[in-house]
Amino acid sequence: MNLYDELADWWPLVSPPGDYEEEASEYLRLLRAEATGPLKTMLELGSGGGNNASHLKRDFQLTLVDPAEGMLKHSRQLNPECEHLSGDMRTVRLGREFDAVFVHDAITYMVTEADLRAALETVAVHLRPGGVALVAPDETTESFEPGVTSEGGEEPEVPGQGARSLRYLMWAMPPKPGGTTFEVHFGMLLKERDGSVRSVHDVHHHGLFSRATWLRLFREAGLEARLEQRILDGKPYDTFVALKPAGSRT
């Protein structure tokens, strides 16, 4: 996935932090509505460039975990007051618990049921009894729609001043019948400071699981989850909010 390594320097043009303020506010509302006990510390798994964290850090002491060093670099610059650690959400073990655990769209890269189960077990292991988790995949089987899912990118505020700019298109392909994965194709045009433009084609593989599978895997991880349906920019999203029962051990 070139977007998160070879092309990581372009990330702020792909996904500006300001675009996440409304979304982060909704996540905060859901967490507060479900929580029992204090909500002071949060672990974010698959934190990427730190865009959600740039808003959530006003309300939490954040520990951010991501496997891509290029993305952690951006997040450290954007969120210097947060703790940053390298790790895979399927296997990382920090040896401590948090009031909340948050996983945004990086969970979509769990392409097998075993991957997803492992990620949810990581959530449970790091959640204190009575703590709350929020997991926000881009799609479930029921909410998925193939096609062009978004177009975007950033251009310089003052054209011709030597700033880089980027435009992109995301195209989600239908999964194979009975399959649990689908491809997302990124077509990107990158304009360098010297005015030259090049194109990049990047392919991502996403997991696709039913709501029932998600809820079953939460239960198997020792978490009591419910489905929260929301609309963002006119598109329906399924979000899962889960509690770790008080007195439980994971």
Side-chain angles (χ1 to χ4, degrees):
M1 294 178 291
N2 290 332
L3 184 59
Y4 304 136
D5 43 61
E6 295 175 19
L7 299 176
D9 285 348
W10 294 84
W11 179 251
L13 297 176
V14 176
S15 187
D19 291 353
Y20 288 69
E21 185 170 10
E22 179 182 352
E23 195 172 357
S25 176
E26 176 65 8
Y27 295 146
L28 180 61
R29 182 191 69 80
L30 291 172
L31 288 165
R32 285 175 168 169
E34 201 74 18
T36 60
L39 268 183
K40 297 180 180 179
T41 61
M42 174 188 279
L43 169 65
E44 183 179 355
L45 298 168
S47 54
N51 289 344
N52 277 300
S54 69
H55 304 287
L56 293 171
K57 66 186 180 184
R58 295 177 292 202
D59 295 276
F60 293 97
Q61 177 185 332
L62 285 172
T63 296
L64 307 177
V65 174
D66 196 89
E69 186 55 40
M71 303 303 283
L72 287 172
K73 177 182 176 182
H74 284 301
S75 187
R76 290 187 183 106
Q77 293 171 348
L78 183 61
N79 306 300
E81 61 272 75
C82 299
E83 179 184 20
H84 290 81
L85 299 169
S86 178
D88 186 313
M89 69 173 69
R90 293 167 295 186
T91 57
V92 67
R93 294 293 183 269
L94 304 182
R96 48 194 160 116
E97 295 177 336
F98 298 80
D99 299 325
V101 178
F102 172 51
V103 193
H104 193 224
D105 52 6
I107 195 76
T108 309
Y109 291 106
M110 303 297 103
V111 296
T112 67
E113 191 170 308
D115 286 337
L116 185 54
R117 179 185 290 107
L120 295 180
E121 288 173 352
T122 299
V123 171
V125 163
H126 292 93
L127 198 60
R128 67 163 173 80
V132 60
L134 191 148
V135 182
D138 273 347
E139 53 270 311
T140 60
T141 302
E142 293 84 353
S143 68
F144 174 70
E145 293 184 3
V148 176
T149 58
S150 64
E151 299 174 74
E154 291 291 299
E155 299 192 36
E157 295 182 6
V158 183
Q161 296 300 307
R164 297 196 303 179
S165 57
L166 177 149
R167 304 299 296 177
Y168 73 86
L169 178 144
M170 287 174 57
W171 188 7
M173 301 295 181
K176 294 180 180 179
T180 61
T181 64
F182 65 98
E183 291 183 350
V184 178
H185 292 253
F186 277 79
M188 290 176 279
L189 293 174
L190 314 178
K191 181 177 178 291
E192 300 284 0
R193 292 184 176 88
D194 63 5
S196 62
V197 177
R198 60 189 172 104
S199 62
V200 175
H201 175 210
D202 197 22
V203 183
H204 296 233
H205 295 88
H206 289 193
L208 190 63
F209 304 96
S210 69
R211 294 164 181 163
T213 297
W214 276 92
L215 293 171
R216 173 175 58 81
L217 293 177
F218 272 107
R219 289 194 300 271
E220 291 176 5
L223 299 173
E224 299 173 353
R226 66 176 178 84
L227 173 66
E228 180 79 21
Q229 295 174 293
R230 59 191 177 86
I231 303 293
L232 180 66
D233 296 330
K235 179 183 175 181
Y237 286 87
D238 289 341
T239 299
F240 298 92
V241 186
L243 283 173
K244 184 173 181 177
S248 68
R249 295 177 180 272
T250 304

